[in-house]
């Protein structure tokens, strides 16, 4: 029975004549995360896609390393690395068509870059020169969102609006495991299911919300199980298996585009680095856990699959790494330039027309800047 | 010259008319909220819209204020103009996160690339005998948030004009509807609504020369009543209706106070940290040398909104306003 049919059938009746609504089984996630790499299913995957995923993973890891290095040089205020989670980031970007929208959280710089955003523009928020360094319409990437889960209802609203306009646009929203405890997560999923909005929610369950482990975040059997109560399918996937994440997300996007409504996907992955460069992960987790996950590294998994099947050789690996180095060098060079800021921008984008009060404050700042320039001029 | 047939109309009817006209004029205008469809809203402001424009354009949402406003953000990102209804003042609070963290600042954070033309209608204020959580005056919270416009009508004509302006605005507008004025009638021509005023202009509702009452929304009729009563004392009070709290019309307000030399700010919201403090400061900064007395405030008490059987003691009424006017230290014949 489809979700829509179930919806039509649902009429609360008073006890004792209560009938259970329907069998929720079709909505339930599998007990174990879906895997492709290392299984027979891998042979069915387009080799071109696997190679593309590989190149993006290698580039993504290098990006994370470079951005983290930039925090040490004081070029970035902070960087929440997605090292270990690259398969989710890259797959999220690659399953979308150009007309679709991505709704990232603060950790998802990589997804934005994999979707085509300029690596420097993607870091504006974290560098501190402006909150969003790009026009969201250009690549259809909403601003990197810092308050947890608040971007999820935006994704639902946008997907709903697109459907009202008969555009076959899908929105994909990213959220962390901690974010699933927020009220906005619930409201977004509920709206999405009631409206049958073409939206896909991808939870990157990386084990921790800063220091708090998943067990203290939820008592649910899995985060994907949460979907059932809203009346949408929940899917569980190995978040380090790029082919599996790509497949599950592709299915969900196709389903949404065809009018089937939303899906909740939980990708089980691990955050290899600390929450951000400012965090001390040794306070809340042991090395052995980290090492277990290191053995399940998303790049190694894919590299193994590709080399085993003769789809990648040493030259191919070197090529991917060289491309990543070129990206990193360019990022480094451009991030080492001081951004040119215009303080008058402070007032430029508060309202379409500044209020009289803002005009007065603008005049004050302009006068202060002029006085500053003059005194600097005389001092020299 | 054609004479316009003026008929009595209520503020609620004018608001409905404004929504209907806006929806008819612009297919991107969408009304959404709790019970706004079949029921027409608990105050019937959205009455008939679902029938006329379909449920896709006047939508009963799930019962979730953050979800309503949060999805409206996404809809606005995709080119729609959502008009959301918060059922009552105190029930808008769950949506504050979306309002403050996203609605108010999306234009700013995207350097103007992503304006959000969302109108947030909030029935507010007391005086209708509502139980707890149905009478809050929450305007100070909204005023304190850069990026939002905050407007509140006091007349039937303004209800229409300001709501049309709010919906047409490319910025988010918190549209505060004084619920005790919903059923107040004015002579108005519903077939030929009055001009749409730009947001940000105050009006002198009643000219006078002894002192200025600066007020807005539900307190405007109270101030007009006080001004009438004051005539017996030989006081000729000017009443300024702000209409817009953000942006603030310093010019109209300061011009009035410079003329009269005395001012009282009147509102229902609590006085401490309330709008009156801001307004009094602005007036003092601009009119100090014209002032014959300190700017006074007549506000609600600094208490959680009281139970209905006590609210009349809390709400600023004519007597309290006249007392304040008396404290402005009149010269013998003013
Ligand atoms: C509403 C809100 N509360 C608190 C924070 C502070 N904070 C930032 S990240 C974080 C943990 C989030 O964990 P999770 O959702 O699992 O995402 P992850 O960082 O693991 O990617 C917290 C508490 C925030 N950004 N927003």
């Amino acid at each position: 029975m489809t979700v829509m049919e179930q919806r039509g059938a649902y009429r609360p009746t008073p006890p004792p004549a209560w009938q259970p609504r329907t069998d929720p089984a079709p909505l339930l996630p599998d007990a174990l995360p879906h895997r492709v790499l290392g299984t027979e299913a891998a042979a069915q995957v387009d080799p071109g896609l696997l190679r593309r995923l590989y190149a993006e993973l290698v580039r993504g890891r290098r990006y994370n390393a470079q951005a983290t290095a930039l925090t040490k040089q004081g070029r970035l205020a902070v960087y929440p690395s997605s090292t270990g989670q690259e398969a989710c980031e890259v797959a999220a970007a690659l399953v979308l068509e150009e007309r679709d929208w991505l709704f990232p959280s603060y950790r998802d710089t990589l997804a934005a870059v994999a979707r085509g955003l300029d690596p420097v523009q993607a870091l504006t928020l974290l560098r501190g020169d402006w909150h969003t360094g790009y026009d969201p319409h250009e690549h259809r990437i909403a601003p990197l969102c810092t308050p947890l889960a608040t971007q999820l209802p935006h994704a639902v609203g946008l997907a709903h609006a697109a459907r009202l306009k008969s555009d076959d646009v899908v929105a994909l929203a990213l959220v962390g495991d901690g974010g699933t405890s927020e009220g906005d997560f619930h409201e977004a999923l509920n709206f999405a299911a009631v409206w049958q909005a073409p939206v896909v929610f991808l939870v990157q369950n990386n084990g921790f919300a800063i220091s708090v482990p998943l067990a203290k975040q939820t008592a649910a059997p899995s985060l994907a199980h949460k979907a059932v109560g809203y009346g949408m399918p929940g899917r569980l996937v190995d978040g380090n298996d790029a082919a599996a994440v790509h497949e599950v997300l592709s299915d969900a996007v196709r389903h949404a585009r065809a009018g089937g409504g939303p899906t909740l996907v939980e990708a089980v992955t691990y955050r290899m680095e600390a929450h951000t460069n400012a965090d001390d992960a040794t306070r809340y987790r042991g090395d052995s856990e980290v090492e277990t996950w290191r053995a399940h590294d998303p790049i190694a998994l894919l590299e193994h699959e590709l080399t085993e099947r003769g789809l990648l050789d040493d030259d191919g690996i070197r090529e991917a790494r060289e491309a990543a180095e070129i990206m990193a060098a360019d990022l480094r060079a451009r991030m080492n330039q001081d951004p040119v800021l215009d303080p008058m921008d402070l007032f430029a984008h508060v309202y379409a027309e500044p209020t009289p009060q803002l005009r007065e404050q603008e005049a004050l700042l302009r006068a202060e800047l002029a006085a500053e320039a003059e005194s600097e001029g005389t001092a020299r | 010259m054609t004479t316009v047939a003026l008929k009595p109309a209520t503020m609620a009817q004018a608001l409905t008319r404004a929504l209907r006209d806006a929806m008819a004029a612009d297919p991107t205008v969408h009304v959404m909220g709790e019970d706004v469809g079949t029921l027409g809203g608990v105050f019937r402001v959205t009455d008939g819209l679902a029938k006329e424009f379909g449920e896709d354009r006047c939508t009963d949402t799930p019962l979730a204020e953050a979800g309503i406003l949060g999805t409206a953000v996404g809809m606005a990102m995709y080119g729609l103009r959502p008009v959301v209804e918060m059922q009552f003042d105190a029930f808008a609070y769950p949506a504050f996160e979306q309002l403050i963290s996203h609605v108010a600042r999306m234009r700013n954070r995207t350097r103007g690339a992503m304006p959000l033309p969302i109108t947030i209608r909030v029935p507010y204020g007391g005086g209708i005998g509502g139980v707890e959580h149905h009478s809050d005056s929450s305007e100070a919270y909204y005023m304190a948030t850069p990026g939002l416009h905050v407007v509140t009508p006091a007349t039937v004509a303004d209800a229409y004009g300001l709501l049309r302006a709010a919906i047409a605005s490319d910025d988010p507008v918190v549209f505060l509807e004084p619920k005790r004025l919903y059923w107040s009638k004015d002579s108005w021509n519903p077939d030929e609504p009055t001009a749409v005023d730009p947001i940000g202009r105050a009006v002198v509702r009643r000219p006078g020369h002894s002192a200025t009452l600066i007020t807005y929304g539900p307190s405007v009729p109270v101030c007009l009543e006080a001004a009438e009563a004051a005539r017996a004392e030989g006081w000729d009070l000017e009443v300024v209706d702000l209409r817009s709290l953000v942006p603030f019309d310093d010019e109209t307000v300061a011009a009035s106070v410079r003329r009269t030399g005395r001012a009282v700010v009147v509102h229902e919201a609590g006085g401490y940290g309330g709008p009156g403090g801001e307004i009094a400061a602005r007036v003092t900064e601009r009119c100090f040398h014209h002032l014959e007395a300190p700017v006074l405030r007549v506000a609600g008490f600094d208490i959680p909104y009281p139970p209905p059987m006590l609210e009349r003691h809390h709400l600023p009424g004519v007597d309290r306003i006249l007392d304040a006017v008396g404290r402005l230290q009149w010269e013998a014949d003013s």
Side-chain angles (χ1 to χ4, degrees):
Chain A
M1 195 184 261
T2 70
V3 174
M4 282 309 277
E5 280 161 354
Q6 288 171 28
R7 282 159 47 77
Y10 181 51
R11 288 281 178 283
T13 45
W18 174 259
Q19 297 287 320
R21 184 179 164 188
T22 53
D23 175 12
L27 305 179
L28 274 169
D30 294 336
L32 289 175
H34 180 64
R35 280 189 184 157
V36 170
L37 298 179
T39 75
E40 281 167 17
Q44 309 303 316
V45 186
D46 168 26
L49 172 66
L50 290 178
R51 281 204 209 91
R52 172 107 197 270
L53 286 168
Y54 178 74
E56 285 292 342
L57 290 187
V58 171
R59 207 165 74 106
R61 170 123 342 149
R62 186 68 188 87
Y63 186 93
N64 277 328
Q66 186 57 58
T68 303
L70 286 165
T71 63
K72 297 192 177 114
Q73 294 153 25
R75 284 290 172 182
L76 282 181
V78 68
Y79 185 73
S81 167
S82 58
T83 294
Q85 303 178 219
E86 293 95 340
C88 301
E89 298 284 312
V90 164
L94 296 195
V95 293
L96 296 180
E97 302 283 339
E98 213 174 298
R99 62 189 178 283
D100 296 333
W101 276 76
L102 180 74
F103 286 78
S105 83
Y106 55 87
R107 195 178 296 286
D108 306 313
T109 327
L110 212 61
V113 171
R115 187 158 166 74
L117 186 63
D118 179 327
V120 171
Q121 286 185 332
L123 289 173
T124 309
L125 171 78
L126 302 167
R127 172 156 70 172
D129 48 320
W130 204 262
H131 304 309
T132 302
Y134 51 93
D135 177 348
H137 298 283
E138 201 180 323
H139 297 282
R140 283 151 304 279
I141 303 169
L144 297 173
C145 187
T146 307
L148 295 167
T150 54
Q151 76 278 21
L152 306 182
H154 305 172
V156 176
L158 183 133
H160 176 62
R163 206 159 77 114
L164 289 176
K165 290 190 176 183
S166 304
D167 296 342
D168 67 340
V169 165
V170 174
L172 194 160
L174 302 173
V175 66
D177 42 298
T180 64
S181 298
E182 289 280 357
D184 275 18
F185 174 82
H186 155 65
E187 297 193 24
L189 265 70
N190 191 49
F191 269 69
V194 170
W195 285 351
Q196 290 289 289
V199 57
V200 177
F201 303 99
L202 173 59
V203 180
Q204 294 183 62
N205 172 7
N206 64 10
F208 294 90
I210 306 188
S211 66
V212 180
L214 186 69
K216 289 188 185 174
Q217 203 66 245
T218 182
S222 79
L223 296 171
H225 273 81
K226 296 194 174 214
V228 184
Y230 297 102
M232 73 174 78
R235 296 283 170 259
L236 199 56
V237 62
D238 181 340
N240 287 20
D241 179 336
V245 183
H246 191 276
E247 184 186 309
V248 169
L249 287 180
S250 295
D251 285 350
V253 166
R254 204 177 310 115
H255 183 69
R257 207 185 300 286
T263 302
L264 174 66
V265 178
E266 174 187 355
V268 184
T269 180
Y270 197 77
R271 194 189 73 210
M272 296 306 290
E273 306 287 333
H275 170 64
T276 69
N277 54 297
D279 169 43
D280 174 10
T282 61
R283 278 177 163 250
Y284 53 83
R285 69 186 188 189
D287 286 347
S288 65
E289 181 181 289
V290 181
E291 290 317 310
T292 310
W293 277 93
R294 207 180 296 286
H296 193 61
D297 181 82
I299 297 180
L301 286 180
L302 187 51
E303 201 171 279
H304 181 74
E305 179 80 37
L306 285 167
T307 44
E308 282 285 290
R309 286 171 51 197
L311 295 169
L312 186 73
D313 56 15
D314 286 350
D315 282 349
I317 293 172
R318 194 173 346 99
E319 228 169 77
R321 288 184 187 165
E322 276 169 11
E325 279 313 317
I326 291 170
M327 179 277 305
D330 175 67
L331 179 61
R332 206 165 45 236
R334 287 197 291 146
M335 288 296 289
N336 277 324
Q337 289 159 17
D338 291 328
V340 183
L341 305 178
D342 181 359
M344 298 321 289
D345 271 2
L346 290 174
F347 302 100
H349 308 292
V350 185
Y351 298 98
E353 284 292 325
T355 62
Q357 290 71 40
L358 282 180
R359 283 192 206 283
E360 280 173 22
Q361 292 161 26
E362 198 178 349
L364 170 70
L365 181 60
R366 188 170 285 122
E368 281 177 4
L369 292 171
E372 220 171 77
E374 197 170 316
S375 72
E376 273 168 19
T378 48
R380 257 178 231 130
Chain B
M1 199 175 131
T2 50
T3 47
V4 174
L6 292 177
K7 289 181 237 163
T10 66
M11 181 179 279
Q13 286 169 331
L15 292 166
T16 309
R17 181 61 201 260
L19 290 171
R20 209 177 109 207
D21 288 358
M23 291 174 89
D26 179 352
T28 67
V29 175
H30 283 244
V31 169
M32 55 200 273
E34 295 157 13
D35 305 291
V36 299
T38 310
L39 183 66
V42 294
F43 294 104
R44 305 290 181 273
V45 170
T46 57
D47 198 18
L49 299 178
K51 210 168 198 175
E52 187 171 346
F53 297 100
E55 284 180 23
D56 278 349
R57 293 201 50 208
C58 179
T59 308
D60 277 331
T61 63
L63 213 168
E65 291 74 17
I68 294 168
L69 191 52
T71 51
V73 169
M75 291 165 72
M77 283 177 162
Y78 204 75
L80 300 184
R81 259 175 208 275
V83 182
V84 309
E85 178 173 304
M86 295 288 153
Q87 203 157 62
F88 280 91
D89 32 59
F91 306 139
Y93 301 149
F96 265 44
E97 156 83 50
Q98 285 293 339
L99 185 74
I100 289 160
S101 296
H102 295 292
V103 174
R105 59 175 86 191
M106 191 66 83
R107 171 188 289 279
N108 185 257
R109 74 151 64 97
T110 62
R111 288 182 188 258
M114 192 168 256
L116 294 180
I118 302 174
T119 303
I120 302 142
R121 296 182 35 243
V122 188
Y124 86 118
I128 61 157
V131 296
E132 197 184 6
H133 304 297
H134 291 74
S135 299
D136 284 15
S137 292
S138 30
E139 58 268 34
Y141 305 134
Y142 301 113
M143 287 171 71
T145 304
L148 301 176
H149 290 298
V150 185
V151 303
T152 175
T155 68
V156 171
D158 272 3
Y160 180 89
L162 286 175
L163 186 51
R164 289 298 305 269
I167 296 170
S169 169
D170 286 334
D171 285 318
V173 181
V174 177
F175 191 87
L176 298 169
E177 300 175 0
K179 59 174 100 62
R180 83 169 119 132
L181 300 185
Y182 271 141
W183 305 282
S184 72
K185 286 189 179 175
D186 254 339
S187 285
W188 184 64
N189 174 17
D191 300 322
E192 204 174 297
T194 36
V196 175
D197 277 310
I199 288 171
R201 303 246 177 96
V203 285
V204 175
R205 284 277 169 228
R206 181 193 193 281
H209 60 77
S210 315
T212 302
L213 301 180
I214 303 166
T215 190
Y216 55 87
S219 295
V220 171
V222 184
C223 286
L224 289 171
E225 202 185 324
E228 280 310 302
R231 282 182 2 174
E233 315 277 331
W235 303 333
D236 179 22
L237 301 181
E238 180 149 309
V239 176
V240 173
D241 173 0
L242 294 172
R243 305 200 288 185
S244 165
L245 296 169
V246 183
F248 189 86
D249 186 352
D250 282 307
E251 249 171 68
T252 302
V253 172
S256 171
V257 178
R258 285 191 191 119
R259 265 195 311 275
T260 62
R262 294 174 167 88
V264 180
V265 188
V266 182
H267 58 62
E268 284 185 24
Y272 189 82
E278 174 65 31
I279 296 166
R282 305 190 77 79
V283 169
T284 307
E285 284 166 2
R286 280 162 186 77
C287 309
F288 186 70
H289 295 293
H290 299 264
L291 285 171
E292 306 285 344
V295 181
L296 297 182
R297 285 170 292 167
V298 177
F301 296 134
D302 298 319
I303 55 173
Y305 196 87
M309 292 171 84
L310 291 170
E311 68 178 337
R312 70 188 177 84
H313 301 293
H314 167 75
L315 293 172
V318 169
D319 287 346
R320 216 171 275 160
I321 296 169
L322 293 179
D323 274 357
V325 171
R327 275 183 284 130
L328 291 172
Q329 296 165 23
W330 302 92
E331 283 152 35
D333 62 343
S334 59

